[in-house]
């Protein structure tokens, strides 16, 4: 009989590529991971791994077993959801991952509603960049998370995970007010109507310093790729993840930035000019495949949908 815990290790190896990365993610020693995978090979009765120097890769049999592991783990999530449904009342920890703007603007109201309806549930929020969510969910460090994608940075399909759309928000070019962008519209973040030509707006700042998120985040990739699509590579001066800090730097004349609507909500800063761009950030609720029906996950997703500010666009139907 194949051991489910060892199947999970094999799946993580397929995703992460090295035994050391699997060990670090799951809080094992590398030798323990190697030992468990060797036991799995004995259980399977044929080689699952090929060792090439310090790296290992899956054999065709190992790759096929990973596909079965995805299905097995999804059914286990469904079983856990059925058991939770049978209990009276929700209780226990719910580990939530969220990125900073959602943590500030949406998650508190959702948690307050959740506490009123399910006082026995103990939500635990960890600020998590969307790029790290897939590994955290598969490793069991999170139960549910908020993730996002941009027009220039679509989210790849992650095996073993499922998502539900939550809301969409437009993006803005933030520039110092004394140097408005080409075709800029000094307007609050909720302004509607046709957006200026995105390429022209961005190219007007091709020679300016730029403020982006830190390297390796989706926000950083979005800004760089948007500029490249406009025909130039941004000259990055500052790398800052918090949008209020980004806007403060823009107001101080330190550069320009691309920010989402949630990042500019609140009192308008007269030192910052905002130009709406024809691009979006789309936020989704992510969880392990098979966990959509888990009462705690479903309750939190419902609370999130109720907490979305009315000025944000919500999807017409689930994915």
């Amino acid at each position: 009989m194949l051991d489910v815990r060892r199947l999970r290790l094999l799946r993580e190896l397929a995703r992460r590529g090295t035994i050391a990365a699997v060990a670090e993610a799951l809080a094992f020693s590398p030798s323990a991971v190697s030992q468990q995978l060797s036991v799995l090979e004995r259980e399977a009765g044929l080689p699952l791994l090929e060792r090439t120097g310090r790296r290992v890769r899956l054999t065709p049999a190992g790759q096929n077993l990973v596909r079965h592991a995805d299905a097995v783990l999804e059914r286990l999530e469904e079983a856990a959801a059925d058991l939770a449904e049978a209990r009276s009342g929700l209780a226990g920890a719910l580990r939530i991952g969220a990125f900073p703007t959602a943590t500030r603007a949406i998650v508190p109201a959702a948690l307050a509603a959740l506490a009123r309806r399910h006082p026995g549930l103990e939500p635990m929020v960890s600020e998590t960049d969307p790029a790290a969510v897939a590994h955290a969910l598969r490793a069991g460090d999170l139960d549910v998370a908020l993730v996002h994608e941009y027009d220039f940075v679509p989210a790849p399909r992650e095996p073993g995970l499922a998502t539900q759309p939550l809301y969409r928000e437009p993006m803005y070019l933030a520039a110092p007010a004394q140097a408005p962008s080409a075709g800029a519209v000094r307007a609050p973040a909720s302004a509607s109507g046709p957006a200026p030509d995105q390429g022209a707006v961005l190219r007007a700042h091709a020679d300016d310093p730029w403020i982006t998120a830190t390297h390796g985040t989706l926000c950083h990739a979005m800004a760089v790729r948007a500029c490249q699509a406009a025909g130039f590579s941004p000259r990055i001066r500052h790398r800052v993840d918090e949008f209020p800090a980004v806007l403060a730097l823009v107001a101080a004349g330190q550069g320009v930035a691309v920010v989402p609507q949630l990042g500019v909500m609140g009192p308008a800063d007269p030192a910052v000019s905002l130009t709406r761009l024809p691009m979006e950030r789309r936020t989704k609720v992510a969880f392990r495949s098979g966990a959509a029906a888990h009462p705690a996950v479903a309750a939190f997703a419902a609370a999130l949908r109720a907490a979305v500010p009315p000025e944000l666009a919500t999807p017409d139907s689930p994915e």
Side-chain angles (χ1 to χ4, degrees):
M1 180 68 68
L2 299 177
D3 186 279
V4 171
R5 292 168 297 180
R6 296 181 188 119
L7 288 175
R8 192 185 298 275
L9 289 176
L10 185 69
R11 186 179 71 168
E12 285 304 306
L13 180 61
R15 306 289 178 258
R16 298 177 187 268
T18 68
I19 287 176
V22 174
E24 181 179 0
L26 302 183
F28 284 97
S29 68
S31 61
V33 173
S34 294
Q35 181 182 34
Q36 291 300 309
L37 291 173
S38 295
V39 173
L40 182 61
E41 286 186 304
R42 291 198 296 273
E43 290 175 342
L46 72 169
L48 303 175
L49 307 175
E50 294 176 342
R51 290 163 177 81
T52 55
R54 295 186 178 181
R55 298 183 65 86
V56 294
R57 63 182 180 184
L58 272 63
T59 64
Q63 294 169 356
N64 190 46
L65 187 55
V66 166
R67 288 191 287 272
H68 287 294
D70 284 334
V72 167
L73 293 168
E74 181 174 347
R75 290 301 299 271
L76 286 175
E77 289 291 340
E78 292 172 354
D82 287 344
L83 291 173
E85 182 94 30
R87 301 188 192 107
S88 57
L90 294 180
L94 179 67
R95 295 158 299 180
I96 300 164
F99 52 90
T101 47
T103 301
R104 183 181 70 251
I106 295 174
V107 171
L111 294 182
L114 202 64
R116 289 193 297 270
R117 295 177 188 135
H118 307 286
L121 201 59
E122 184 183 2
M124 304 166 65
V125 177
S126 298
E127 196 168 284
T128 309
D129 186 85
V133 160
H135 288 329
L137 284 170
R138 282 196 295 260
D141 297 330
L142 297 175
D143 300 309
V144 62
L146 289 171
V147 297
H148 57 57
E149 65 176 7
Y150 296 95
D151 287 346
F152 289 98
V153 193
R157 181 170 179 79
E158 290 285 354
L161 300 188
T163 61
Q164 295 175 351
L166 187 60
Y167 61 84
R168 309 190 318 271
E169 57 186 313
M171 305 294 295
Y172 291 83
L173 188 283
Q178 65 269 23
S181 58
V185 179
R186 291 288 304 281
S190 60
S192 59
D197 177 74
Q198 180 165 291
V201 171
L202 299 180
R203 283 193 297 274
H205 296 282
D207 296 327
D208 291 343
W210 279 74
I211 306 162
T212 71
T214 52
H215 185 76
T217 62
L218 300 181
C219 296
H220 175 272
M222 171 273 301
V224 171
R225 293 181 189 179
C227 291
Q228 289 173 341
F232 69 97
S233 293
R235 180 167 58 89
I236 300 172
R237 176 181 289 177
H238 303 293
R239 291 177 173 83
V240 179
D241 288 328
E242 289 281 354
F243 288 117
V246 169
L247 293 175
L249 289 171
V250 171
Q254 288 295 300
V256 299
V258 178
V259 296
Q261 181 164 346
L262 278 183
V264 297
M265 289 176 69
D269 187 339
V272 176
S273 173
L274 297 173
T275 304
R276 183 167 179 169
L277 300 171
M279 58 184 290
E280 290 184 332
R281 181 170 79 168
R282 293 172 292 280
T283 294
K284 304 176 183 181
V285 185
F287 39 82
R288 288 181 291 278
S289 296
H294 193 288
V297 172
F300 180 62
L304 284 171
R305 286 190 287 272
V308 173
E311 55 267 40
L312 297 183
T314 54
D316 297 328
S317 59
E319 291 182 334

